[in-house]
């Protein structure tokens, strides 16, 4: 989100699956971009080199 009370929080757009929008969370806490990106990097590093 770029404005309003949820500014800075990352949301998933699941509208293609008729699920709408939902906030992304990590252990129940809503996450911002920096935390989402660091989680993504950790996952990418963990799976690098896997067949």
């Amino acid at each position: 989100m770029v404005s309003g009370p949820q500014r800075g929080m990352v949301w998933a757009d699941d509208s293609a699956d008729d699920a709408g929008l939902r906030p992304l969370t990590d252990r129940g806490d809503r996450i911002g971009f920096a935390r989402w990106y660091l989680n993504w990097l950790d996952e990418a590093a963990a799976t690098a080199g896997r067949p």
Side-chain angles (χ1 to χ4, degrees):
M1 292 290 174
V2 295
S3 65
Q6 294 298 314
R7 182 174 184 235
M9 298 293 105
V10 178
W11 287 63
D13 182 355
D14 295 331
S15 58
D17 296 327
D18 292 325
L21 298 173
R22 64 179 173 84
L24 293 183
T25 60
D26 183 22
R27 298 183 189 114
D29 297 325
R30 290 184 177 185
I31 61 173
F33 180 79
R35 189 163 166 193
W36 170 84
Y37 185 62
L38 291 173
N39 288 349
W40 181 85
L41 285 175
D42 288 344
E43 180 67 23
T47 60
R50 287 189 192 168

